[in-house]
Amino acid sequence: MVNKTHTPTAENRIEVKTLASLGMPQEDIAAFIGISHVTLRKHYSDELKMSAIKANATVGKYLFSLASGQALKHGATHGDCRTAAIFWAKTRMGWRETNHHDHTSSDGSMSPREITIKPVHVKSYD
């Protein structure tokens, strides 16, 4: 089987950029164009890399405008902004909703201990 040489076209580059921006897997993009994923990476590596970066930047900018309250001027609700701010705080600032309570007493008498449970064998009457 002879491999056909692939020559990227302007239309292919636009399709790759669009599909990569949407988060499509590279194998699917290659199938859409009609080439192998190796050929895709060889000829379209810049489009693949930059499209993902631009898409993340666009979403990040929108999320930031919500989380910072700037989107209120453009019709976002306080609920939208609150949700975005919570997401931002958890993913970017390391905040979390769970609390860790240490119940250890100062003298160590109430220190947590590991409990080992032995399996019980039940006789079957089948």
Side-chain angles (χ1 to χ4, degrees), residues 2 6 12 18-19 25 28 31 47-48 53-54 56 60 66 71 75 79 87 95 97 103 106 108 111-112 115 118-119:
V2 178
H6 175 75
N12 289 148
T18 302
L19 295 172
D28 292 349
E47 287 83 356
L48 294 170
I53 291 169
K54 287 178 182 178
N56 288 340
L66 283 168
F87 176 79
W95 289 19
E97 293 181 31
H103 297 290
S106 59
S111 299
I115 298 173
K118 296 181 181 179

Side-chain angles (χ1 to χ4, degrees), residues 97-109:
E97 293 181 31
T98 58
N99 294 315
H100 175 75
H101 299 284
D102 184 5
H103 297 290
T104 305
S105 61
S106 59
D107 65 358
S109 63

Side-chain angles (χ1 to χ4, degrees), residues 5-18:
T5 303
H6 175 75
T7 305
T9 64
E11 181 182 353
N12 289 148
R13 291 192 187 283
I14 291 169
E15 289 171 333
V16 170
K17 285 179 187 178
T18 302

Side-chain angles (χ1 to χ4, degrees), residues 18-34:
T18 302
L19 295 172
S21 293
L22 297 172
M24 294 291 294
Q26 291 183 6
E27 289 75 15
D28 292 349
I29 297 171
F32 184 84
I33 301 294

